[in-house]
Amino acid sequence: MRTRSVCGMDAAEFRKRGKEMVDYIADYLETIEQREVYPDVQPGYLRSLIPNEAPEEPDAYEDVVRDIERVIMPGVTHWHSPYFYAYFPTANSYPAMLADMLSGAIGCIGFSWAASPACTELETVMLDWLGKMLNLPDDFLAGTTGLGGGVIQGTASEATLVALLAARSRIVQKIQADSPEREELDIISRLVAYSSDQAHSSVERAGLIAGVRMKKIPTAVSKKFAVHGETFSAMLKEDKEAGLIPFYFCATLGTTPSCAFDCITELGPICKAENMWMHIDAAYAGSAFICPEFRPLLNGVEFADSFNFNPHKWLLVNFDCSAMWVKKRADIIGAFKMDPLYLKHDHQESGLVTDYRVS
Ligand SMILES: *Cc1c(COP(=O)(O)O)cnc(C)c1O
């Protein structure tokens, strides 16, 4: 048998150290409530605990492991402690950690079907499963003949941005198809996207990155901070009269400051009538829609072009796993497709082969 030694560790030692690490992890999680949930360190604490330069000679493995308690743990905020009430709950589980190990070992990069068929196929099928658990309309499922489907993003912020860029590309193409003389830059300068004033900051940032106007729709406590059709329609009318082109609305189900639910059954038909892309950000609340008693909160998703939630928030999968579905894969592929020679393969995008190539 070939001996493979990476960083001075061969398979025999990996077996031993791996088992020790699993024990360390299980001990950590079983006794986590005994640790201070918030670290008692000052900014810059870590630099003084380790040398200024990378060592010329390797440390013993035992010393490296000792540094976990000496250097790292004192500066860790223990998100999985039962005393952690900050931000939002983030998920993990023993099976998810084991899966991370396996994925690290396989170590492939599935940027296209051919780059590792199992990556693409597993992702597509799992997102169909998850989509069915949420009772998403069939349009969002890939199946073997569907035009839609799911794709894993790193974060909800990325999903919002990907949807916005796809929407931007779709509207520019549409306008230019009708009026080929119109310049792309002129169109983009008139575009306007919308979200609730309760939406996550990443929505506003997506507008900055995409270089389009992003308007916040005002909400009120009397309406439980939800965006309703009436306010939205009034804003659209005013903006169109001012020569702007509304093209994207990011609805939120479960807003960050107030857990508000935008009224997508009213907003969806407006977006459809105006040819706008509706994206739904349900980053943390989304997992709840699996329960039949909460599923009605997702009614109206049938009007959306894309929908996203984070299994890494509430569904036992550790960071990063943000699940995004689109009704038309072609919208995303159309916006991002690059076709360099070194990525070409015999099995081009089809019902059975998805090459989102969003990365
Ligand atoms: C958590 C959250 C986000 C940000 O999620 P990331 O995956 O960290 O980008 C966005 N929107 C809502 C509604 C959230 O709850």
Side-chain angles (χ1 to χ4, degrees):
M1 205 164 54
R2 195 164 64 105
T3 319
R4 182 184 151 112
S5 170
V6 182
C7 301
M9 187 180 284
D10 60 15
E13 191 176 6
F14 176 68
R15 287 175 199 277
K16 176 169 178 291
R17 300 307 188 186
K19 284 161 194 154
E20 288 169 7
M21 183 57 82
V22 167
D23 280 339
Y24 177 81
I25 292 168
D27 288 344
Y28 167 68
L29 290 172
E30 282 195 326
T31 59
I32 195 167
E33 75 280 3
Q34 294 166 17
R35 295 179 187 255
E36 279 299 323
V37 60
Y38 187 65
D40 181 22
V41 292
Q42 294 304 312
Y45 88 96
L46 191 141
R47 194 176 279 279
S48 66
L49 295 178
I50 52 174
N52 262 338
E53 315 290 335
E56 299 265 334
E57 295 298 321
D59 272 5
Y61 181 80
E62 286 80 358
D63 287 338
V64 176
V65 168
R66 265 194 290 277
D67 280 353
I68 299 175
E69 285 297 333
R70 189 181 71 85
V71 180
I72 301 174
M73 285 301 179
V76 169
T77 301
H78 299 283
W79 280 58
H80 294 275
S81 164
Y83 301 113
F84 179 88
Y85 299 114
Y87 314 118
F88 50 85
T90 191
N92 76 6
S93 62
Y94 291 121
M97 286 179 250
L98 292 175
D100 247 9
M101 277 178 78
L102 176 62
S103 137
I106 294 174
C108 61
I109 301 183
F111 46 66
S112 66
W113 181 87
S116 195
C119 285
T120 299
E121 300 214 1
L122 189 64
E123 181 171 344
T124 307
V125 176
M126 287 304 104
L127 282 151
D128 272 1
W129 282 16
L130 191 53
K132 286 178 191 171
M133 284 164 75
L134 292 161
N135 204 4
L136 287 184
D138 284 348
D139 293 352
F140 286 105
L141 306 180
T144 50
T145 54
L147 301 177
V151 58
I152 298 174
Q153 305 291 332
T155 61
S157 313
E158 286 167 60
T160 303
L161 176 63
V162 164
L164 180 66
L165 295 176
R168 192 184 73 175
S169 156
R170 189 175 79 175
I171 187 78
V172 169
Q173 279 168 25
K174 186 176 175 305
I175 292 174
Q176 287 187 328
D178 297 340
S179 331
E181 75 288 355
R182 288 192 68 175
E183 303 260 350
E184 177 167 348
L185 279 179
D186 172 58
I187 300 170
I188 290 177
S189 72
R190 289 169 191 278
L191 294 181
V192 52
Y194 303 83
S195 74
S196 160
D197 64 5
Q198 301 290 302
H200 190 263
S201 56
S202 56
V203 180
E204 189 176 350
R205 195 188 313 120
L208 287 176
I209 299 172
V212 295
R213 238 177 240 95
M214 177 70 73
K215 290 204 171 182
K216 290 184 183 177
I217 305 168
T219 59
V221 63
S222 59
K223 297 247 174 115
K224 293 188 174 168
F225 296 111
V227 174
H228 284 267
E230 220 174 299
T231 330
F232 187 42
S233 292
M235 259 179 111
L236 292 180
K237 184 165 177 285
E238 202 173 291
D239 287 343
K240 284 195 294 185
E241 280 167 9
L244 299 178
I245 309 169
F247 79 109
Y248 176 84
F249 171 56
C250 177
T252 310
L253 298 182
T255 59
T256 307
S258 53
C259 198
F261 284 72
D262 290 340
C263 190
I264 53 176
T265 49
E266 287 175 20
L267 300 161
I270 298 173
C271 290
K272 273 260 137 16
E274 300 284 344
N275 256 312
M276 294 172 67
W277 183 297
M278 181 163 88
H279 174 68
I280 298 177
D281 172 14
Y284 77 85
S287 304
F289 305 146
I290 293 170
C291 305
E293 65 273 31
F294 295 123
R295 176 58 179 77
L297 291 167
L298 188 57
N299 288 350
V301 66
E302 60 274 17
F303 299 110
D305 294 276
S306 52
F307 166 75
N308 169 260
F309 86 98
N310 287 353
H312 72 233
K313 277 184 171 160
W314 210 3
L315 215 56
L316 301 175
V317 184
N318 48 278
F319 191 83
D320 50 355
C321 179
S322 187
M324 177 184 192
W325 288 266
V326 290
K327 259 190 196 152
K328 283 206 190 115
R329 297 204 293 273
D331 285 336
I332 288 204
I333 294 162
F336 300 105
K337 195 157 178 107
M338 296 280 139
D339 227 2
L341 184 64
Y342 50 81
L343 291 182
K344 284 193 197 304
H345 58 83
D346 289 342
H347 304 275
Q348 291 301 329
E349 161 78 23
S350 71
L352 290 175
V353 176
T354 303
D355 279 346
Y356 293 103
R357 297 249 195 95
V358 193
S359 59

